[in-house]
Coordinates of all heavy atoms in Angstrom, one line a residue:
R302 N 84.5 108.7 124.2 CA 83.6 109.9 124.2 C 82.4 109.6 123.3 O 81.5 110.5 123.2 CB 84.3 111.1 123.8 CG 84.7 111.2 122.3 CD 85.5 112.4 122.0 NE 85.9 112.4 120.6 CZ 86.9 113.1 120.1 NH1 87.5 113.9 120.9 NH2 87.2 113.1 118.8
A342 N 93.0 74.1 69.4 CA 93.5 75.5 69.2 C 94.9 75.5 69.8 O 95.3 74.7 70.6 CB 92.7 76.5 70.0
Y606 N 97.2 103.7 140.1 CA 97.6 103.5 141.4 C 98.6 104.6 141.8 O 99.5 104.9 141.0 CB 98.3 102.1 141.6 CG 99.0 101.9 142.9 CD1 98.3 101.6 144.0 CD2 100.4 102.0 143.0 CE1 99.0 101.4 145.2 CE2 101.1 101.9 144.2 CZ 100.3 101.5 145.3 OH 101.0 101.4 146.5
K671 N 98.2 97.4 117.8 CA 97.9 96.4 116.8 C 96.9 97.0 115.8 O 95.9 97.6 116.2 CB 97.3 95.2 117.5 CG 96.9 94.0 116.5 CD 96.4 92.8 117.3 CE 96.0 91.7 116.4 NZ 95.4 90.5 117.1
Q753 N 92.7 125.0 137.5 CA 91.6 125.2 138.3 C 91.8 126.3 139.3 O 92.9 126.6 139.7 CB 91.2 123.9 139.1 CG 92.2 123.6 140.2 CD 91.7 122.4 141.1 OE1 91.3 121.4 140.6 NE2 91.8 122.6 142.4
D759 N 83.2 127.1 148.0 CA 82.8 125.7 147.5 C 82.6 125.7 146.0 O 81.8 124.8 145.5 CB 81.6 125.3 148.2 CG 81.8 125.1 149.7 OD1 82.9 124.7 150.1 OD2 80.9 125.3 150.5
D787 N 100.3 107.0 97.7 CA 99.6 107.7 98.7 C 99.6 106.9 100.0 O 100.1 105.8 100.0 CB 98.2 108.0 98.3 CG 97.5 109.2 99.1 OD1 98.2 109.7 100.0 OD2 96.4 109.5 98.8
S827 N 89.1 115.0 105.3 CA 89.1 114.1 106.5 C 89.4 112.7 106.1 O 89.1 112.2 105.0 CB 87.8 114.2 107.2 OG 87.5 115.5 107.7
S831 N 88.2 108.2 110.2 CA 87.8 109.1 111.3 C 87.1 110.3 110.7 O 87.6 111.4 110.7 CB 89.0 109.6 112.0 OG 88.7 110.4 113.1
I841 N 77.5 116.8 132.2 CA 77.2 117.1 133.6 C 77.6 115.8 134.4 O 77.6 114.7 133.8 CB 75.7 117.4 133.8 CG1 74.8 116.3 133.2 CG2 75.4 118.7 133.2 CD1 73.4 116.4 133.5
L861 N 79.3 116.1 116.7 CA 80.5 116.0 115.9 C 80.4 116.8 114.6 O 79.4 116.8 114.0 CB 80.7 114.5 115.5 CG 80.9 113.6 116.7 CD1 80.8 112.1 116.3 CD2 82.2 113.8 117.4

Side-chain angles (χ1 to χ4, degrees):
R302 68 184 179 198
Y606 170 77
K671 180 180 180 181
Q753 72 171 44
D759 296 328
D787 200 1
S827 295
S831 180
I841 57 174
L861 299 167

